[in-house]
Amino acid sequence: MKGQADRGFVRMPAGPVIAATGAETGDVFAVIHPRAVALYRSRPEGSPRNVWPGRASGIEVTGDRVRIRIDGEVGVVAEVTPAALKDLNLGQGGEVWLSFKATDVGVYPV
């Protein structure tokens, strides 16, 4: 995701702001690895600084991993196990909450 870094945050063009450790200033790409994205059926509590609602727009099962595309204010791809997908009782179009830590956001200058 391309955005504007400002001392620990990255503002996306559409408006959302992502907490990102190591973000200085200027144009950047912010990258979140799919395994760093946690999914929940209700709003999670805890230490992650980045928490948003979304909707599953694509689910792809590949062996022992499931990639789920989440659309919302911040669109991401999450990677979970088939057991986690079953526990979430999540299907195409299902509503979820996603979260990831500021330390899991890679920030690279454009």
Side-chain angles (χ1 to χ4, degrees), residues 4-35:
Q4 184 72 34
D6 186 15
R7 297 178 197 90
F9 297 92
V10 177
R11 181 175 300 283
M12 300 289 109
V17 177
I18 296 174
T21 303
E24 297 297 326
T25 58
D27 292 334
V28 296
F29 282 110
V31 179
I32 302 107
H33 194 284
R35 282 183 244 148

PDB file of all heavy atoms in Angstrom, residues 4-35:
ATOM      1  N   GLN A   4       1.738   8.082   2.845  1.00  0.00           N
ATOM      2  CA  GLN A   4       2.601   9.164   3.313  1.00  0.00           C
ATOM      3  C   GLN A   4       2.971   8.891   4.770  1.00  0.00           C
ATOM      4  O   GLN A   4       2.101   8.871   5.635  1.00  0.00           O
ATOM      5  CB  GLN A   4       1.858  10.504   3.195  1.00  0.00           C
ATOM      6  CG  GLN A   4       2.673  11.710   3.559  1.00  0.00           C
ATOM      7  CD  GLN A   4       3.735  12.014   2.516  1.00  0.00           C
ATOM      8  OE1 GLN A   4       3.547  11.808   1.332  1.00  0.00           O
ATOM      9  NE2 GLN A   4       4.859  12.501   2.955  1.00  0.00           N
ATOM     10  N   ALA A   5       4.267   8.668   5.034  1.00  0.00           N
ATOM     11  CA  ALA A   5       4.736   8.389   6.389  1.00  0.00           C
ATOM     12  C   ALA A   5       4.889   9.676   7.183  1.00  0.00           C
ATOM     13  O   ALA A   5       5.277  10.710   6.642  1.00  0.00           O
ATOM     14  CB  ALA A   5       6.077   7.659   6.341  1.00  0.00           C
ATOM     15  N   ASP A   6       4.563   9.587   8.468  1.00  0.00           N
ATOM     16  CA  ASP A   6       4.725  10.728   9.366  1.00  0.00           C
ATOM     17  C   ASP A   6       4.968  10.218  10.779  1.00  0.00           C
ATOM     18  O   ASP A   6       4.023   9.957  11.531  1.00  0.00           O
ATOM     19  CB  ASP A   6       3.486  11.623   9.327  1.00  0.00           C
ATOM     20  CG  ASP A   6       3.671  12.897  10.144  1.00  0.00           C
ATOM     21  OD1 ASP A   6       4.812  13.232  10.500  1.00  0.00           O
ATOM     22  OD2 ASP A   6       2.655  13.544  10.427  1.00  0.00           O
ATOM     23  N   ARG A   7       6.230  10.006  11.109  1.00  0.00           N
ATOM     24  CA  ARG A   7       6.694   9.658  12.454  1.00  0.00           C
ATOM     25  C   ARG A   7       5.866   8.574  13.156  1.00  0.00           C
ATOM     26  O   ARG A   7       5.184   8.831  14.127  1.00  0.00           O
ATOM     27  CB  ARG A   7       6.752  10.903  13.316  1.00  0.00           C
ATOM     28  CG  ARG A   7       7.747  11.916  12.801  1.00  0.00           C
ATOM     29  CD  ARG A   7       7.748  13.181  13.663  1.00  0.00           C
ATOM     30  NE  ARG A   7       8.394  14.251  12.948  1.00  0.00           N
ATOM     31  CZ  ARG A   7       7.750  15.098  12.138  1.00  0.00           C
ATOM     32  NH1 ARG A   7       6.470  14.996  11.951  1.00  0.00           N
ATOM     33  NH2 ARG A   7       8.411  16.046  11.522  1.00  0.00           N
ATOM     34  N   GLY A   8       5.943   7.375  12.648  1.00  0.00           N
ATOM     35  CA  GLY A   8       5.282   6.238  13.284  1.00  0.00           C
ATOM     36  C   GLY A   8       3.919   5.892  12.719  1.00  0.00           C
ATOM     37  O   GLY A   8       3.270   4.957  13.189  1.00  0.00           O
ATOM     38  N   PHE A   9       3.496   6.624  11.688  1.00  0.00           N
ATOM     39  CA  PHE A   9       2.206   6.368  11.054  1.00  0.00           C
ATOM     40  C   PHE A   9       2.343   6.479   9.548  1.00  0.00           C
ATOM     41  O   PHE A   9       3.219   7.172   9.051  1.00  0.00           O
ATOM     42  CB  PHE A   9       1.153   7.375  11.540  1.00  0.00           C
ATOM     43  CG  PHE A   9       0.882   7.264  13.007  1.00  0.00           C
ATOM     44  CD1 PHE A   9       1.587   8.037  13.907  1.00  0.00           C
ATOM     45  CD2 PHE A   9      -0.059   6.359  13.484  1.00  0.00           C
ATOM     46  CE1 PHE A   9       1.357   7.926  15.274  1.00  0.00           C
ATOM     47  CE2 PHE A   9      -0.293   6.242  14.840  1.00  0.00           C
ATOM     48  CZ  PHE A   9       0.411   7.023  15.743  1.00  0.00           C
ATOM     49  N   VAL A  10       1.442   5.795   8.830  1.00  0.00           N
ATOM     50  CA  VAL A  10       1.370   5.924   7.374  1.00  0.00           C
ATOM     51  C   VAL A  10      -0.080   6.224   7.013  1.00  0.00           C
ATOM     52  O   VAL A  10      -0.984   5.455   7.347  1.00  0.00           O
ATOM     53  CB  VAL A  10       1.836   4.643   6.652  1.00  0.00           C
ATOM     54  CG1 VAL A  10       1.682   4.790   5.146  1.00  0.00           C
ATOM     55  CG2 VAL A  10       3.275   4.300   7.011  1.00  0.00           C
ATOM     56  N   ARG A  11      -0.291   7.366   6.360  1.00  0.00           N
ATOM     57  CA  ARG A  11      -1.633   7.747   5.916  1.00  0.00           C
ATOM     58  C   ARG A  11      -1.824   7.247   4.492  1.00  0.00           C
ATOM     59  O   ARG A  11      -1.049   7.564   3.602  1.00  0.00           O
ATOM     60  CB  ARG A  11      -1.815   9.258   5.962  1.00  0.00           C
ATOM     61  CG  ARG A  11      -3.216   9.696   5.516  1.00  0.00           C
ATOM     62  CD  ARG A  11      -3.456  11.177   5.680  1.00  0.00           C
ATOM     63  NE  ARG A  11      -3.314  11.627   7.055  1.00  0.00           N
ATOM     64  CZ  ARG A  11      -4.226  11.455   8.024  1.00  0.00           C
ATOM     65  NH1 ARG A  11      -5.341  10.812   7.740  1.00  0.00           N
ATOM     66  NH2 ARG A  11      -4.011  11.919   9.236  1.00  0.00           N
ATOM     67  N   MET A  12      -2.888   6.468   4.295  1.00  0.00           N
ATOM     68  CA  MET A  12      -3.225   5.944   2.982  1.00  0.00           C
ATOM     69  C   MET A  12      -3.976   7.014   2.190  1.00  0.00           C
ATOM     70  O   MET A  12      -4.639   7.877   2.778  1.00  0.00           O
ATOM     71  CB  MET A  12      -4.117   4.703   3.122  1.00  0.00           C
ATOM     72  CG  MET A  12      -3.480   3.574   3.903  1.00  0.00           C
ATOM     73  SD  MET A  12      -2.142   2.787   2.992  1.00  0.00           S
ATOM     74  CE  MET A  12      -0.746   3.342   3.907  1.00  0.00           C
ATOM     75  N   PRO A  13      -3.914   6.978   0.856  1.00  0.00           N
ATOM     76  CA  PRO A  13      -4.588   7.991   0.035  1.00  0.00           C
ATOM     77  C   PRO A  13      -6.093   8.107   0.306  1.00  0.00           C
ATOM     78  O   PRO A  13      -6.650   9.181   0.241  1.00  0.00           O
ATOM     79  CB  PRO A  13      -4.329   7.524  -1.400  1.00  0.00           C
ATOM     80  CG  PRO A  13      -3.085   6.717  -1.308  1.00  0.00           C
ATOM     81  CD  PRO A  13      -3.121   6.056   0.045  1.00  0.00           C
ATOM     82  N   ALA A  14      -6.744   6.998   0.631  1.00  0.00           N
ATOM     83  CA  ALA A  14      -8.188   7.023   0.871  1.00  0.00           C
ATOM     84  C   ALA A  14      -8.540   7.509   2.274  1.00  0.00           C
ATOM     85  O   ALA A  14      -9.707   7.638   2.604  1.00  0.00           O
ATOM     86  CB  ALA A  14      -8.785   5.639   0.635  1.00  0.00           C
ATOM     87  N   GLY A  15      -7.526   7.734   3.127  1.00  0.00           N
ATOM     88  CA  GLY A  15      -7.808   8.302   4.432  1.00  0.00           C
ATOM     89  C   GLY A  15      -7.366   7.536   5.649  1.00  0.00           C
ATOM     90  O   GLY A  15      -7.003   8.145   6.646  1.00  0.00           O
ATOM     91  N   PRO A  16      -7.402   6.188   5.659  1.00  0.00           N
ATOM     92  CA  PRO A  16      -7.024   5.498   6.892  1.00  0.00           C
ATOM     93  C   PRO A  16      -5.556   5.725   7.251  1.00  0.00           C
ATOM     94  O   PRO A  16      -4.716   5.969   6.386  1.00  0.00           O
ATOM     95  CB  PRO A  16      -7.284   4.024   6.604  1.00  0.00           C
ATOM     96  CG  PRO A  16      -7.406   3.906   5.140  1.00  0.00           C
ATOM     97  CD  PRO A  16      -7.772   5.261   4.605  1.00  0.00           C
ATOM     98  N   VAL A  17      -5.287   5.646   8.541  1.00  0.00           N
ATOM     99  CA  VAL A  17      -3.928   5.820   9.046  1.00  0.00           C
ATOM    100  C   VAL A  17      -3.507   4.515   9.712  1.00  0.00           C
ATOM    101  O   VAL A  17      -4.222   3.988  10.566  1.00  0.00           O
ATOM    102  CB  VAL A  17      -3.862   6.987  10.052  1.00  0.00           C
ATOM    103  CG1 VAL A  17      -2.470   7.106  10.628  1.00  0.00           C
ATOM    104  CG2 VAL A  17      -4.279   8.290   9.385  1.00  0.00           C
ATOM    105  N   ILE A  18      -2.343   4.006   9.316  1.00  0.00           N
ATOM    106  CA  ILE A  18      -1.802   2.759   9.863  1.00  0.00           C
ATOM    107  C   ILE A  18      -0.645   3.097  10.790  1.00  0.00           C
ATOM    108  O   ILE A  18       0.261   3.840  10.405  1.00  0.00           O
ATOM    109  CB  ILE A  18      -1.298   1.840   8.725  1.00  0.00           C
ATOM    110  CG1 ILE A  18      -2.466   1.423   7.839  1.00  0.00           C
ATOM    111  CG2 ILE A  18      -0.566   0.638   9.273  1.00  0.00           C
ATOM    112  CD1 ILE A  18      -2.049   0.644   6.621  1.00  0.00           C
ATOM    113  N   ALA A  19      -0.686   2.562  12.003  1.00  0.00           N
ATOM    114  CA  ALA A  19       0.451   2.691  12.908  1.00  0.00           C
ATOM    115  C   ALA A  19       1.554   1.782  12.388  1.00  0.00           C
ATOM    116  O   ALA A  19       1.325   0.598  12.109  1.00  0.00           O
ATOM    117  CB  ALA A  19       0.057   2.292  14.324  1.00  0.00           C
ATOM    118  N   ALA A  20       2.751   2.330  12.211  1.00  0.00           N
ATOM    119  CA  ALA A  20       3.861   1.576  11.621  1.00  0.00           C
ATOM    120  C   ALA A  20       5.163   1.982  12.283  1.00  0.00           C
ATOM    121  O   ALA A  20       5.666   3.085  12.036  1.00  0.00           O
ATOM    122  CB  ALA A  20       3.924   1.822  10.119  1.00  0.00           C
ATOM    123  N   THR A  21       5.695   1.106  13.128  1.00  0.00           N
ATOM    124  CA  THR A  21       6.976   1.369  13.763  1.00  0.00           C
ATOM    125  C   THR A  21       8.035   1.568  12.679  1.00  0.00           C
ATOM    126  O   THR A  21       8.096   0.829  11.720  1.00  0.00           O
ATOM    127  CB  THR A  21       7.385   0.183  14.661  1.00  0.00           C
ATOM    128  OG1 THR A  21       6.338  -0.021  15.613  1.00  0.00           O
ATOM    129  CG2 THR A  21       8.676   0.442  15.376  1.00  0.00           C
ATOM    130  N   GLY A  22       8.834   2.584  12.810  1.00  0.00           N
ATOM    131  CA  GLY A  22       9.905   2.828  11.848  1.00  0.00           C
ATOM    132  C   GLY A  22       9.524   3.765  10.726  1.00  0.00           C
ATOM    133  O   GLY A  22      10.383   4.147   9.928  1.00  0.00           O
ATOM    134  N   ALA A  23       8.249   4.151  10.650  1.00  0.00           N
ATOM    135  CA  ALA A  23       7.852   5.098   9.605  1.00  0.00           C
ATOM    136  C   ALA A  23       8.379   6.479   9.970  1.00  0.00           C
ATOM    137  O   ALA A  23       8.120   6.982  11.048  1.00  0.00           O
ATOM    138  CB  ALA A  23       6.329   5.122   9.465  1.00  0.00           C
ATOM    139  N   GLU A  24       9.142   7.074   9.089  1.00  0.00           N
ATOM    140  CA  GLU A  24       9.717   8.411   9.327  1.00  0.00           C
ATOM    141  C   GLU A  24       8.837   9.452   8.650  1.00  0.00           C
ATOM    142  O   GLU A  24       7.750   9.711   9.121  1.00  0.00           O
ATOM    143  CB  GLU A  24      11.154   8.456   8.808  1.00  0.00           C
ATOM    144  CG  GLU A  24      12.096   7.496   9.541  1.00  0.00           C
ATOM    145  CD  GLU A  24      12.256   7.804  11.017  1.00  0.00           C
ATOM    146  OE1 GLU A  24      12.220   8.984  11.380  1.00  0.00           O
ATOM    147  OE2 GLU A  24      12.414   6.863  11.797  1.00  0.00           O
ATOM    148  N   THR A  25       9.264  10.012   7.533  1.00  0.00           N
ATOM    149  CA  THR A  25       8.458  10.968   6.786  1.00  0.00           C
ATOM    150  C   THR A  25       8.656  10.737   5.298  1.00  0.00           C
ATOM    151  O   THR A  25       9.699  10.242   4.867  1.00  0.00           O
ATOM    152  CB  THR A  25       8.850  12.428   7.114  1.00  0.00           C
ATOM    153  OG1 THR A  25      10.223  12.615   6.835  1.00  0.00           O
ATOM    154  CG2 THR A  25       8.567  12.768   8.560  1.00  0.00           C
ATOM    155  N   GLY A  26       7.661  11.087   4.513  1.00  0.00           N
ATOM    156  CA  GLY A  26       7.768  10.991   3.062  1.00  0.00           C
ATOM    157  C   GLY A  26       6.899   9.903   2.469  1.00  0.00           C
ATOM    158  O   GLY A  26       6.175   9.187   3.166  1.00  0.00           O
ATOM    159  N   ASP A  27       6.988   9.761   1.140  1.00  0.00           N
ATOM    160  CA  ASP A  27       6.232   8.744   0.418  1.00  0.00           C
ATOM    161  C   ASP A  27       6.843   7.379   0.677  1.00  0.00           C
ATOM    162  O   ASP A  27       8.063   7.206   0.576  1.00  0.00           O
ATOM    163  CB  ASP A  27       6.255   9.029  -1.085  1.00  0.00           C
ATOM    164  CG  ASP A  27       5.471  10.276  -1.456  1.00  0.00           C
ATOM    165  OD1 ASP A  27       4.540  10.641  -0.712  1.00  0.00           O
ATOM    166  OD2 ASP A  27       5.792  10.883  -2.496  1.00  0.00           O
ATOM    167  N   VAL A  28       5.971   6.401   0.995  1.00  0.00           N
ATOM    168  CA  VAL A  28       6.443   5.056   1.331  1.00  0.00           C
ATOM    169  C   VAL A  28       5.478   3.999   0.809  1.00  0.00           C
ATOM    170  O   VAL A  28       4.343   4.296   0.460  1.00  0.00           O
ATOM    171  CB  VAL A  28       6.590   4.870   2.861  1.00  0.00           C
ATOM    172  CG1 VAL A  28       7.642   5.794   3.439  1.00  0.00           C
ATOM    173  CG2 VAL A  28       5.262   5.050   3.565  1.00  0.00           C
ATOM    174  N   PHE A  29       5.963   2.768   0.791  1.00  0.00           N
ATOM    175  CA  PHE A  29       5.125   1.591   0.651  1.00  0.00           C
ATOM    176  C   PHE A  29       5.051   0.956   2.026  1.00  0.00           C
ATOM    177  O   PHE A  29       6.081   0.779   2.689  1.00  0.00           O
ATOM    178  CB  PHE A  29       5.712   0.581  -0.338  1.00  0.00           C
ATOM    179  CG  PHE A  29       5.505   0.941  -1.767  1.00  0.00           C
ATOM    180  CD1 PHE A  29       6.577   1.333  -2.547  1.00  0.00           C
ATOM    181  CD2 PHE A  29       4.241   0.885  -2.343  1.00  0.00           C
ATOM    182  CE1 PHE A  29       6.399   1.673  -3.876  1.00  0.00           C
ATOM    183  CE2 PHE A  29       4.061   1.235  -3.673  1.00  0.00           C
ATOM    184  CZ  PHE A  29       5.142   1.622  -4.446  1.00  0.00           C
ATOM    185  N   ALA A  30       3.848   0.614   2.475  1.00  0.00           N
ATOM    186  CA  ALA A  30       3.658  -0.107   3.731  1.00  0.00           C
ATOM    187  C   ALA A  30       3.256  -1.534   3.376  1.00  0.00           C
ATOM    188  O   ALA A  30       2.352  -1.749   2.564  1.00  0.00           O
ATOM    189  CB  ALA A  30       2.573   0.553   4.574  1.00  0.00           C
ATOM    190  N   VAL A  31       3.948  -2.502   3.973  1.00  0.00           N
ATOM    191  CA  VAL A  31       3.733  -3.904   3.649  1.00  0.00           C
ATOM    192  C   VAL A  31       3.427  -4.676   4.931  1.00  0.00           C
ATOM    193  O   VAL A  31       4.168  -4.562   5.912  1.00  0.00           O
ATOM    194  CB  VAL A  31       4.987  -4.499   2.967  1.00  0.00           C
ATOM    195  CG1 VAL A  31       4.775  -5.960   2.644  1.00  0.00           C
ATOM    196  CG2 VAL A  31       5.349  -3.704   1.729  1.00  0.00           C
ATOM    197  N   ILE A  32       2.347  -5.455   4.899  1.00  0.00           N
ATOM    198  CA  ILE A  32       1.981  -6.308   6.033  1.00  0.00           C
ATOM    199  C   ILE A  32       1.932  -7.737   5.519  1.00  0.00           C
ATOM    200  O   ILE A  32       1.170  -8.041   4.588  1.00  0.00           O
ATOM    201  CB  ILE A  32       0.605  -5.921   6.619  1.00  0.00           C
ATOM    202  CG1 ILE A  32       0.596  -4.465   7.066  1.00  0.00           C
ATOM    203  CG2 ILE A  32       0.240  -6.824   7.787  1.00  0.00           C
ATOM    204  CD1 ILE A  32      -0.188  -3.584   6.168  1.00  0.00           C
ATOM    205  N   HIS A  33       2.751  -8.615   6.078  1.00  0.00           N
ATOM    206  CA  HIS A  33       2.759 -10.010   5.647  1.00  0.00           C
ATOM    207  C   HIS A  33       1.432 -10.654   6.026  1.00  0.00           C
ATOM    208  O   HIS A  33       0.919 -10.419   7.123  1.00  0.00           O
ATOM    209  CB  HIS A  33       3.926 -10.770   6.297  1.00  0.00           C
ATOM    210  CG  HIS A  33       4.161 -12.078   5.632  1.00  0.00           C
ATOM    211  ND1 HIS A  33       3.360 -13.172   5.839  1.00  0.00           N
ATOM    212  CD2 HIS A  33       5.104 -12.462   4.742  1.00  0.00           C
ATOM    213  CE1 HIS A  33       3.795 -14.179   5.120  1.00  0.00           C
ATOM    214  NE2 HIS A  33       4.857 -13.770   4.435  1.00  0.00           N
ATOM    215  N   PRO A  34       0.839 -11.459   5.141  1.00  0.00           N
ATOM    216  CA  PRO A  34      -0.447 -12.087   5.442  1.00  0.00           C
ATOM    217  C   PRO A  34      -0.480 -12.876   6.750  1.00  0.00           C
ATOM    218  O   PRO A  34      -1.502 -12.938   7.412  1.00  0.00           O
ATOM    219  CB  PRO A  34      -0.677 -13.010   4.239  1.00  0.00           C
ATOM    220  CG  PRO A  34       0.042 -12.329   3.117  1.00  0.00           C
ATOM    221  CD  PRO A  34       1.282 -11.739   3.768  1.00  0.00           C
ATOM    222  N   ARG A  35       0.649 -13.473   7.150  1.00  0.00           N
ATOM    223  CA  ARG A  35       0.671 -14.232   8.413  1.00  0.00           C
ATOM    224  C   ARG A  35       0.632 -13.330   9.641  1.00  0.00           C
ATOM    225  O   ARG A  35       0.374 -13.791  10.745  1.00  0.00           O
ATOM    226  CB  ARG A  35       1.900 -15.135   8.472  1.00  0.00           C
ATOM    227  CG  ARG A  35       1.708 -16.375   7.629  1.00  0.00           C
ATOM    228  CD  ARG A  35       2.891 -17.290   7.740  1.00  0.00           C
ATOM    229  NE  ARG A  35       3.484 -17.345   6.407  1.00  0.00           N
ATOM    230  CZ  ARG A  35       4.751 -17.499   6.143  1.00  0.00           C
ATOM    231  NH1 ARG A  35       5.617 -17.605   7.105  1.00  0.00           N
ATOM    232  NH2 ARG A  35       5.182 -17.533   4.908  1.00  0.00           N
TER     233      ARG A  35
END
